[in-house]
Amino acid sequence: MTTLALVESPAQLLNVAEWAHAGHRGEGRVALEVAVLLPMDAWSRVQLSRVAELAAVSDLDITRFEVRSGTVSRMRQIAAVRKRVAAAERLVVGDLFSGLVQMLLPSATARELVIVDDGTATTEFVRIVTEGRRLTRWHQQAGGAGRGGRAMTWLTEPALDRTLFTCMEVAPPPGIRIVSNEYGWTRSRFSRPTVRDGADLLGTSLVETGIVGEEHYLRAVAAIVRTRGVDRYLAHRRESRDKLRRIAEATGVRVLRPDLPLELLAAQGPIGHTVLTFPSTVAHTLPIVLGGGGVRVELCEVSEAWFTPDTTAHAVGFLHGMAESAKRRHGLSSMSPGLVGR
């Protein structure tokens, strides 16, 4: 079967490698073609290259496409990807909320779809399909029909065989099969992480996406560093350089921009004996990746006072739901919002 994966981020490429390693319905390890739709963000591109290097030992045929720069060349690259989409018998997609992916899907003739996003997009996609809503990211306002509406038309065709490959705790939506991502590829690649003495705080892009106010976030980070003995801040790939500079100057903590997704960084180490994270995907993935490795993962909850005026009630509820799910499923302890951000 001709299989094509469309990915746009390092985490999506990692999840494709995990799906290929896990196999599909008794096929064993799956060989597939991967079209990397390169983002503009420089650090995302660095991480994509590093994940591609690690995945080189797997049966992944990775091709990079410059689909966001230039004019004539960009259109040629998009046309080349569209041709591959039209020829694929099975599509593996990392982000159905992507406008670029939604533009490509009308060309698809595949009768099988695998969704491999293990992030917040997974839980939101399940909710959207279950409730019959439009494809809109959890932190954005619902828009018009557009590409999202056309993509949903294809996604909901009764003849389409749909699978969601995820580590998130979700109920199967109508007509979609759930396959658990146990991070077998990562765990086999790095059998046990090197654990160091200090504590790591994982950064988040909640400020950059307009959910949390920057000053509240900076005060919260300073309080966590001071009270929990944090000596490293591992930045999210989308965090701004200016914000990271302010964190380093205000706290004295060592700020690092990892060249790998946090799941891979943690799996190989060195990683702190305690890892603190705000509500995000890694609150769900790291307990799986680090299971039995002697690393404690803790949750730093987001206070109501930190949200910006433009943050929707849906976004607030979504974040709280992510936090409660991580605590319930993985037994994570958490820091009360009252202890930080004052």
Side-chain angles (χ1 to χ4, degrees):
M1 176 180 287
T2 305
T3 304
L4 173 70
L6 299 173
V7 303
E8 299 176 85
S9 76
Q12 290 170 28
L13 182 53
L14 169 59
N15 287 330
V16 167
E18 293 290 353
W19 177 79
H21 177 82
H24 179 72
R25 295 187 189 175
E27 292 180 27
R29 295 181 62 176
V30 178
L32 75 157
E33 180 183 1
V34 182
V36 177
L37 312 179
L38 286 169
M40 294 294 289
D41 174 64
W43 210 252
S44 295
R45 293 166 75 102
V46 169
Q47 290 194 1
L48 275 165
S49 293
R50 289 286 286 115
V51 177
E53 289 173 10
L54 291 174
V57 298
S58 303
D59 299 321
L60 303 184
D61 179 12
I62 301 173
T63 306
R64 298 167 175 82
F65 293 90
E66 290 284 2
V67 291
R68 290 181 169 87
S69 60
T71 303
V72 176
S73 60
R74 176 173 64 89
M75 296 308 296
R76 287 175 180 165
Q77 293 278 282
I78 291 174
V81 177
R82 183 178 281 116
K83 184 177 180 180
R84 298 188 184 205
V85 169
E89 298 171 278
R90 174 167 58 201
L91 285 176
V92 181
V93 178
D95 184 6
L96 287 170
F97 294 94
S98 162
L100 187 56
V101 169
Q102 291 174 6
M103 180 181 70
L104 292 166
L105 284 182
S107 302
T109 59
R111 293 292 85 195
E112 187 173 342
L113 170 70
V114 181
I115 306 154
V116 296
D117 193 325
D118 261 338
T120 53
T122 297
T123 52
E124 187 64 359
F125 173 72
V126 168
R127 184 181 307 185
I128 284 171
V129 172
T130 302
E131 298 176 359
R133 296 190 291 109
R134 291 172 181 164
L135 279 172
T136 306
R137 296 187 190 277
W138 64 271
H139 56 83
Q140 297 174 339
Q141 298 282 357
R147 293 172 180 166
R150 292 191 294 273
M152 281 298 289
T153 299
W154 182 74
L155 287 168
T156 54
E157 285 186 9
L160 183 64
D161 186 329
R162 295 167 293 172
T163 299
L164 176 58
F165 180 73
T166 180
C167 78
M168 304 297 284
E169 187 179 38
V170 292
I176 298 182
R177 180 188 311 104
I178 302 290
V179 176
S180 179
N181 179 5
E182 303 293 342
Y183 281 90
W185 180 78
T186 297
R187 291 169 67 88
S188 64
R189 192 89 168 78
F190 308 102
S191 57
R192 192 174 182 87
T194 302
V195 181
R196 62 185 196 86
D197 291 335
D200 291 326
L201 174 59
L202 308 185
T204 174
S205 60
L206 289 173
V207 172
E208 285 71 16
T209 52
I211 302 298
V212 168
E214 183 167 331
E215 298 307 318
H216 287 294
Y217 182 77
L218 293 175
R219 286 196 292 271
V221 167
I224 295 168
V225 169
R226 183 178 65 253
T227 60
R228 299 309 307 275
V230 171
D231 59 357
R232 287 200 316 182
Y233 181 96
L234 304 180
H236 188 282
R237 58 189 171 83
R238 291 190 182 133
E239 287 188 89
S240 73
R241 182 173 299 179
D242 181 65
K243 189 182 80 174
L244 296 178
R245 175 189 57 78
R246 294 185 65 190
I247 288 172
E249 291 176 353
T251 65
V253 73
R254 186 156 55 113
V255 176
L256 301 179
R257 275 194 183 272
D259 64 355
L260 285 170
L262 287 169
E263 292 82 3
L264 290 173
L265 174 70
Q268 68 176 345
I271 192 71
H273 64 75
T274 299
V275 176
L276 299 111
T277 177
F278 293 95
S280 68
T281 301
V282 292
H284 292 264
T285 60
L286 288 188
I288 298 173
V289 171
L290 295 171
V295 177
R296 178 183 176 87
V297 180
E298 291 189 41
L299 192 67
C300 304
E301 297 194 57
V302 175
S303 170
E304 295 281 348
W306 304 356
F307 294 116
T308 65
D310 294 331
T311 303
T312 65
H314 176 67
V316 172
F318 186 87
L319 270 182
H320 288 332
M322 287 284 289
E324 290 303 313
S325 176
K327 288 190 293 183
R328 181 182 65 253
R329 185 182 182 197
H330 301 294
L332 303 188
S333 60
S334 65
M335 297 183 66
S336 169
L339 296 178
V340 294
R342 290 178 175 174

